[in-house]
Structures are given as C-alpha cells and as structure tokens.
C-alpha cells in the first residue's frame, strides 16, 4: 500500500479572518490506525490526521463549522466519523461513504443521521475500489431520498464526463467535488467545466470550490484555477461552497499551508457578499446549519 505526504502541521492565520460561521465543506479524519483500522483492500494509507488536529487547524484559520467526510479508507465502518462528530459538537456535520448503503442496515443509517450525517459521497475513482454497482447505486439513491440527504460526487481524475450519465438526471441535491476536475489549460472549452455549468443550470446541483492546488498546472499561487472558480460563481453563486480537503489525501507533493487555500478562496471571490454566500449561507442551507 503506498503512503502519502502529511498536512502542514503548522497552520498560520490567513491575511484576514473568514466571515463568522464559515463552513469547511469537506475535511477528513484519519486514524490513529490502532483505533480505526483500514478496510480490507483500502487503496491508500494516510499519515494520522485526528479530529483534534482538524479542530486546531480550523481554530487557527477562523473556521467555525465543518463537514467530516468519510474516506474510502474505512468504507462502511463510520466509527471515525461518529466519534469525530460526538467530540467536535453541533457545529459539525458528517458525510457518509456510499458503501454504507450496500453493507449496513437501517438502524446504522439512522445512527448516522442522528449523529449529524446529512449526505453520502459516491466515488467514481476506480483506483480507490469503492464504486457501487448500478443496482447498489439505485438502491442508495432511493434511500437517500427517504433520508432527505444530499448526494456527493467524487469525480475520476479526468473529471465528471466519463461518469455523469449515472447521476445527471437525479432529482435530489447533488454536490460535485473539486470543481469537477477540469483542465485549466483547456479554459472554457474544457468538457468537464462545460458539463458542470450545464448541471448547475438544473437548479439541484452544487459545486465545491476545492482542490485548486492540485488542479493548477502552474503551481503556487494557482492563478490558472481562478477563471474556473469565477465561471462557476458567475453562473450559480447560490450553489457554490468551499472546502479545504484537509488533510489532503493522496498528496505526492507537500500539501500547502491551509491558510494558502483559504486565501485562494478569497481570490476566487474578492467581493465580500459573494464570499459570505460561499463560505457561510450556501453551506448552511445545503448541510442544515442554522443560518
């Protein structure tokens, strides 16, 4: 099993504080491994990144709310998310991994909901070994509709176009991760960007402005991803959210300081009213926080 680089353990304060009630719409909790063993066949092992470390990063950045997203590392066993939610309190929500619908019973799903889970992440990255069959996918969507959750999509490395046929006609809220993984060198002609804009026009799709540091072809300060984020903000401001993706799983280069990523968000939305929608009001609506 390959190993990857850890997060920057010394987060700095950003150049300005984010608005009160800012939400980090995706971060992960990993380990310690002796308490939370990986599922058989897990595709990767990350250095330990506990909820205590996540809380320290959020407090340094000025982030008051967040969503713990279950990684494929643990599959259907959500102990790490349940423990994290219990410890971090009511300002945090959870997002399950969709494998739970194939392996867990209704009582376990109710336990997740009661703990604050409000969505499930579906992976289409074949290398992670967590892609549901068509039948399991259909059953999971039916259950999500009953629970009132949102669907979260983890695109393949080459974007959403190869898998979008499976979910583009869903009638529940759907959040697409990582700006749909467009190629910044392709500009407005990138097929993933064009498809994401098409989905946003439907009204029930959302886009997560995240992973700019890995999407960029130019590297810091990531100027080439700003036009991508702007395209989404100008098309559907009310359906954009932001995430750190801490602790930056499967990083083969040293992840940036997390303040760099929040400041990149500030460059996506230099207007304060836009910024507050993306960091505060939009995620409050999607994840069920009091606004």
């Amino acid at each position: 099993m390959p190993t990857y680089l850890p997060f920057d353990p010394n987060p700095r304060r950003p150049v300005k504080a984010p608005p009160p009630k800012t939400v980090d719409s995706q971060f992960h909790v990993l380990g310690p491994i002796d308490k939370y063993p990986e599922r058989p066949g897990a595709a990767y092992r990350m250095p330990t990144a506990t909820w205590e470390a996540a809380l320290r990063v959020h407090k340094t950045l000025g982030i008051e709310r967040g969503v713990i997203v279950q990684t494929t590392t643990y599959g259907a066993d959500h102990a790490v998310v349940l423990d994290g939610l219990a410890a971090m309190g009511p300002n945090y929500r959870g997002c399950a991994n969709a494998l739970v619908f194939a392996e867990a019973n209704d009582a376990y799903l109710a336990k997740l909901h009661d703990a604050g889970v409000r969505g499930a992440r579906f992976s289409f990255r074949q290398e992670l070994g967590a892609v549901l069959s068509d039948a399991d996918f259909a059953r999971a969507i039916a259950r999500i509709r009953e629970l009132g959750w949102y669907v979260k999509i983890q695109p393949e490395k080459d974007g959403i176009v190869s898998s979008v046929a499976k979910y583009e006609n869903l009638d529940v809220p759907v959040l697409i991760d990582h700006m749909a993984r467009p190629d910044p060198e392709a500009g407005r002609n990138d097929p993933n960007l064009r498809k994401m804009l098409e989905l946003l026009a439907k009204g029930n799709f959302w886009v997560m402005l995240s992973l700019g540091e890995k999407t960029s072809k130019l590297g810091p300060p990531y100027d080439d991803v700003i036009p991508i984020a702007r395209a989404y903000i100008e098309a559907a401001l009310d359906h954009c959210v932001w995430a750190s993706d801490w602790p930056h799983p499967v990083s083969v280069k040293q992840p940036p300081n997390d303040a760099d990523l929040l400041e990149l968000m500030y460059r996506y939305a230099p207007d304060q009213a836009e910024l507050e929608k993306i960091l505060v009001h939009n995620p409050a609506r999607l994840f069920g926080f009091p606004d």
Side-chain angles (χ1 to χ4, degrees):
M1 180 183 295
T3 56
Y4 296 94
L5 295 172
F7 63 94
D8 186 329
N10 299 302
R12 62 174 175 80
R13 293 191 182 280
V15 293
K16 68 172 184 178
K21 301 180 181 177
T22 283
V23 178
D24 181 353
S25 298
Q26 174 171 298
F27 69 99
H28 308 289
V29 176
L30 293 153
I33 193 169
D34 58 344
K35 186 174 183 180
Y36 304 107
E38 297 137 352
R39 69 183 172 93
Y44 66 88
R45 173 178 294 174
M46 279 291 294
T48 296
T50 63
W51 65 263
E52 293 95 331
L55 204 55
R56 186 166 59 251
V57 170
H58 281 171
K59 285 184 175 178
T60 302
L61 297 179
I63 292 171
E64 298 178 5
R65 294 170 164 175
V67 180
I68 307 173
V69 178
Q70 169 87 338
T71 66
T72 58
T73 299
Y74 300 116
D77 181 356
H78 287 65
V80 72
V81 170
L82 290 168
D83 290 352
L85 289 172
M88 298 179 86
N91 282 340
Y92 286 83
R93 297 283 187 268
C95 179
N97 187 280
L99 290 174
V100 74
F101 293 106
E103 301 181 28
N105 58 25
D106 285 350
Y108 193 76
L109 292 175
K111 183 178 181 180
L112 292 178
H113 187 87
D114 291 346
V117 171
R118 293 293 182 269
R121 193 186 199 199
F122 293 75
S123 177
F124 289 92
R125 290 187 60 178
Q126 297 291 338
E127 66 185 11
L128 299 180
V131 182
L132 292 181
S133 68
D134 288 349
D136 283 341
F137 180 82
R139 281 193 290 272
I141 295 301
R143 199 68 183 93
I144 278 176
R145 191 175 288 109
E146 293 171 353
L147 289 163
W149 290 5
Y150 63 92
V151 168
K152 196 168 190 293
I153 301 295
Q154 181 182 28
E156 261 287 10
K157 282 183 177 177
D158 61 356
I160 60 173
V161 170
S162 61
S163 59
V164 71
K166 279 198 172 185
Y167 54 82
E168 64 180 334
N169 293 317
L170 293 178
D171 59 358
V172 296
V174 181
L175 174 61
I176 308 290
D177 291 355
H178 307 329
M179 299 191 286
R181 284 185 169 265
D183 178 357
E185 292 181 341
R188 285 273 186 166
N189 292 321
D190 181 86
N192 292 297
L193 187 148
R194 286 192 281 111
K195 176 54 76 172
M196 187 68 247
L197 291 172
E198 181 185 320
L199 295 174
L200 287 170
K202 289 175 175 279
N204 65 314
F205 278 77
W206 299 65
V207 64
M208 197 167 74
L209 306 179
S210 55
L211 214 69
E213 76 280 14
K214 292 181 181 175
T215 302
S216 173
K217 297 291 180 66
L218 299 179
Y222 317 119
D223 291 345
D224 53 337
V225 296
I226 292 176
I228 297 169
R230 285 305 309 170
Y232 298 144
I233 293 169
E234 290 164 12
L237 171 61
D238 289 340
H239 281 238
C240 295
V241 299
W242 170 84
S244 69
D245 196 39
W246 184 93
H248 317 292
V250 297
S251 292
V252 294
K253 296 180 180 178
Q254 177 58 50
N257 192 285
D258 285 276
D260 296 350
L261 301 180
L262 187 55
E263 290 166 357
L264 179 59
M265 179 60 241
Y266 295 166
R267 295 172 69 208
Y268 294 161
D271 177 82
Q272 186 66 18
E274 285 186 345
L275 189 66
E276 290 187 9
K277 281 202 169 189
I278 296 165
L279 293 181
V280 180
H281 305 302
N282 294 346
R285 196 165 81 250
L286 180 60
F287 305 127
F289 289 111
D291 197 359

